Amino acid sequence: MDASNTIAAPAQRRSGRVRQGRRIADRTLRIACSGATLVGALVLGSILVMLIVQGVRGFTPTLFTNPTPGPGSEGGGIANAILGSLILTGIGILIATPIGVMAGTYLAEYGRGSKLAALIRFLNDILLSAPSILIGLFVYTLMVRPMGTYSGWAGGVALAIIAVPVIVRTTEDMLRLVPGTLREAGAALGAPTSTVIMSVSWRAASAGIVTGIILALARIAGETAPLLFTALNNNSWFSANLLGGVANLPVMIYQFALSPYPNWQGLAWAGALLITATILALSIIARLVIKPHASR
Amino acid sequence: MPALTESIALGRTRAASARKAPSRSLDTLFRTCSYGAALLVLLVLAGILGSILYGGWPAFREFGFGFLTSSAWNVGTEQYGALVAVLGTVASAFLALLIGVPVSLGIAVYLTQLCPGWARKPVAMTIELLAAVPSIIYGMWGLFVFAPLFARFVQIPVSNLVEGMPIVGTLFYARVPSGVGVFTAGIILAIMIVPFIASIARDMLDQIPTVLRESAYGIGCTTWEVVRHVLVPQAAVSIIGAIMLGLGRALGETMAVTFVVGNANRLSASIFDPSSTIASRIANEFNEADGLQLNALMALGCILFVITFVVLIIARLLTRRVQSA
């Protein structure tokens, strides 16, 4: 900064001052922008450090073999919550995948110019960012109240509703990248539209569609709010009864982290580390899958 | 009509499709399935609105317009009002934008203009991974890591400083400096919306033709001037759309806020004091609620639905218009 003063010749002093103002503005921008990025990276780092420091202590074999202990008692694990989470996200993704892929196929292949498709595309985008707690309330009214009990099925349906718009969006985007000439080539062989879509469009877009499903999985794996009113929790060992409350990691973390028992809090941290590591791994995998596809 | 456009799009003649009779029924089935799946999206959205309206209706009927203006929330006397939760929601989301928008735009500019090429991908990935962290983890981080630091280094000194001052004193004085409150919720929300706004803004800045940028640098512009006079005007509409999208997320975010907002029912003018948002109140009370309280919570959900969906529709209109242009 001093250098600019000494370099500016006396005759150019006025323009030099202007130039210095520009330089200060420029430098401020550079520092501010780098600072913002640094803050973002620091927050991510801080979250990861916190999870590792607090959660690693709980990573014992019993964590994966024992169910959650009762209030105030020692020991135990989170095996029932892990299994419940696997089952709930499994149900969610199994329901959401066919619906999402088919709806995305409709938007990309059949409904390109139609007004209905445009409306559905728009509503799908809205649903994509809709507060998940509202989806929880919807499934509560739809399933929990009529059935009279919190249930694993309701939890799975709630997660499916969150996953569908993600899959619809990526499927449509990926199918749109498939060149029309490929479809024409298939149609010229006399193949019906459905065959063209299934064996030409889907095949060409398969990597992208799989990415969408992985992203949807990552999205629903950590969802808590809708499960509070649907699957809730179940502290006993998993009973394979999807018609009752089912233990799951997010709700377990929520309840245990805010509990007054150190043992429960420790289990919550271990669960938090486990779920965050899983989701970050899924997101990274999804990004690696999509990369060769996008560059093609 | 759609069938016609479809066969034209695929360059297929009617005679060819007529020849394959058996596969044609399969064709129709496939088409119907995909059509039905697409309609399901529409039905779900209608179902969400319908179910919440149905659940909240008794509360609206009981309290009328007063539900919106009342700050009461008393389970014992069955008096419910939405004011505290609505104000908490709006205030925390507004604070989130105030903090989050400059940071996200800074990150977008850094990634597109300043970052050296080799570091671009890892840095972008780091920021995008912030979006993948589940909101409950943000809640834990906010409550156990951020809130104690915030109470010690910001709330207590600021409270001591402004105590007794008019306006500033009411706005920033913390009665119980525990670190949780509307302002903390705003900061956590800001962190959560940054990756979304930053990645959309980065995409928009990337789409601006390089020629424009290079010509500006060519006549001697600094990075600041290129950003200010070339990039920002070009991408303004879509960046506003991205900001609205972030606002939509901030309004409906539940778990992270529930951890750090303090969940108080009292109306307070200080942004350092605990309060609650619509989403946090529903998350907190829903399982124990019954009768009119349940209806009141559903009615809160209705209000949240209306607020977020108006914001999201504006956001999508803004971002979509740019995409099609």
Side-chain angles (χ1 to χ4, degrees):
Chain A
M1 278 160 268
D2 294 326
S4 63
N5 266 339
T6 51
I7 288 170
Q12 285 181 323
R13 185 155 288 163
R14 248 175 59 195
S15 68
R17 208 173 296 147
V18 172
R19 198 175 298 160
Q20 202 184 355
R22 293 177 57 195
R23 199 167 294 185
I24 289 172
D26 189 51
R27 189 153 304 174
T28 313
L29 176 89
R30 282 165 186 271
I31 293 172
C33 291
S34 315
T37 314
L38 194 68
V39 167
L42 278 180
V43 169
L44 184 69
S46 162
I47 289 173
L48 294 180
V49 166
M50 167 198 84
L51 285 175
I52 291 169
V53 166
Q54 302 268 7
V56 135
R57 253 176 300 164
F59 265 70
T60 53
T62 52
L63 188 76
F64 300 95
T65 54
N66 287 13
T68 43
S73 55
E74 285 305 305
I78 54 173
N80 54 341
I82 295 173
L83 186 62
S85 262
L86 286 176
I87 290 172
L88 291 182
T89 44
I91 294 174
I93 213 74
L94 282 180
I95 298 175
T97 299
I99 296 175
V101 170
M102 288 308 274
T105 306
Y106 175 78
L107 295 182
E109 301 280 339
Y110 291 111
R112 280 215 173 165
S114 84
K115 279 209 173 100
L116 177 73
L119 175 72
I120 290 173
R121 192 173 298 130
F122 186 74
L123 293 183
N124 186 69
D125 279 354
I126 301 278
L127 200 57
L128 193 66
S129 350
S132 60
I133 193 163
L134 294 180
I135 291 166
L137 291 182
F138 169 54
V139 177
Y140 175 84
T141 319
L142 189 75
M143 294 178 72
V144 176
R145 198 110 77 126
M147 288 162 69
T149 169
Y150 296 105
S151 74
W153 289 114
V157 169
L159 293 182
I161 293 177
I162 295 167
V164 162
V166 182
I167 301 178
V168 171
R169 179 74 186 265
T170 39
T171 304
E172 191 201 348
D173 286 352
M174 292 306 143
L175 286 177
R176 275 169 177 266
L177 290 177
V178 177
T181 44
L182 269 183
R183 292 189 187 88
E184 283 164 18
L189 293 174
T193 320
S194 56
T195 315
V196 172
I197 291 173
M198 281 187 278
S199 46
V200 177
S201 303
W202 278 3
R203 188 165 298 178
S206 58
I209 295 174
V210 169
T211 308
I213 296 169
I214 300 176
L215 283 177
L217 202 59
R219 170 86 196 269
I220 61 175
E223 276 292 347
T224 318
L227 294 181
L228 277 176
F229 324 135
T230 50
L232 200 63
N233 208 343
N234 184 357
N235 265 353
S236 62
W237 179 237
F238 182 69
S239 56
N241 181 12
L242 287 175
L243 291 170
V246 171
N248 58 86
L249 279 173
V251 173
M252 185 280 293
I253 295 169
Y254 173 57
Q255 293 178 337
F256 281 22
L258 294 175
S259 76
Y261 314 111
N263 185 34
W264 271 17
Q265 289 169 3
L267 291 174
W269 285 111
L273 173 61
L274 183 68
I275 204 162
T276 309
T278 313
I279 289 170
L280 290 185
L282 281 175
S283 317
I284 292 171
I285 290 169
R287 258 160 256 271
L288 295 180
V289 172
I290 206 169
K291 211 190 300 168
H293 187 86
S295 63
R296 194 156 20 128
Chain B
M1 186 63 188
L4 187 68
T5 49
E6 167 207 330
S7 52
I8 289 173
L10 292 170
R12 203 171 49 139
T13 64
R14 201 165 285 182
S17 58
R19 217 182 305 143
K20 285 234 170 186
S23 61
R24 196 178 168 155
S25 63
L26 186 81
D27 217 38
T28 320
L29 182 74
F30 186 82
R31 191 196 158 81
T32 315
C33 279
S34 76
Y35 186 69
L39 280 183
L40 212 56
V41 172
L42 212 149
L43 276 179
V44 165
L45 206 58
I48 293 175
L49 179 62
S51 68
I52 298 171
L53 255 181
Y54 168 78
W57 192 247
F60 283 128
R61 206 180 40 203
E62 173 82 22
F63 302 112
F65 191 71
F67 185 72
L68 277 176
T69 53
S70 158
S71 64
W73 192 273
N74 195 322
V75 182
T77 59
E78 296 232 304
Q79 284 300 311
Y80 302 106
L83 191 65
V84 177
V86 170
L87 285 182
T89 307
V90 173
S92 58
F94 179 74
L95 286 168
L97 286 193
L98 212 63
I99 303 161
V101 168
V103 176
S104 356
L105 296 186
I107 290 175
V109 168
Y110 179 80
L111 281 173
T112 51
Q113 313 298 318
L114 305 172
C115 188
W118 58 267
R120 205 162 280 186
K121 265 201 177 135
V123 174
M125 194 129 156
T126 308
I127 299 301
E128 276 173 32
L129 282 183
L130 268 177
V133 174
S135 76
I136 191 164
I137 305 299
Y138 278 107
M140 294 175 85
W141 183 79
L143 183 63
F144 297 111
V145 177
F146 183 77
L149 294 174
F150 185 71
R152 188 157 162 215
F153 295 108
V154 179
Q155 266 192 343
I156 294 174
V158 170
S159 289
N160 289 340
L161 193 72
V162 299
E163 191 175 358
M165 282 190 206
I167 305 172
V168 189
T170 18
L171 205 56
F172 290 105
Y173 180 69
R175 263 173 281 193
V176 188
S178 57
V180 298
V182 178
F183 194 69
T184 316
I187 292 173
I188 301 295
L189 285 176
I191 296 170
M192 295 184 71
I193 62 174
V194 156
F196 293 102
I197 303 181
S199 75
I200 300 177
R202 186 199 58 177
D203 288 348
M204 294 303 158
L205 293 181
D206 264 343
Q207 276 174 21
I208 295 171
T210 328
V211 181
L212 276 180
R213 225 176 293 162
E214 281 171 354
S215 52
Y217 280 120
I219 60 167
C221 286
T222 60
T223 311
W224 158 250
E225 284 154 350
V226 171
V227 171
R228 170 70 189 80
H229 298 291
V230 180
L231 301 186
V232 168
Q234 284 275 324
V237 177
S238 47
I239 288 177
I240 292 172
I243 293 170
M244 297 291 279
L245 210 59
L247 177 61
R249 279 187 190 271
L251 287 168
E253 180 47 53
T254 310
M255 297 323 291
V257 174
T258 308
F259 269 88
V260 296
V261 80
N263 303 310
N265 289 338
R266 197 185 40 210
L267 195 63
S268 168
S270 168
I271 55 169
F272 278 170
D273 270 344
S275 180
S276 44
T277 69
I278 295 179
S280 76
R281 177 157 297 168
I282 297 175
N284 256 312
E285 299 186 8
F286 199 83
N287 285 323
E288 277 95 48
D290 204 14
L292 196 59
Q293 191 188 359
L294 197 70
N295 297 132
L297 289 172
M298 284 282 196
L300 280 182
C302 256
I303 298 171
L304 180 64
F305 185 97
V306 173
I307 302 176
T308 45
F309 279 66
V310 168
V311 168
L312 289 178
I313 285 171
I314 296 172
R316 289 300 175 183
L317 289 176
L318 289 176
T319 41
R320 192 154 287 271
R321 210 172 57 188
V322 174
Q323 268 170 17
S324 57

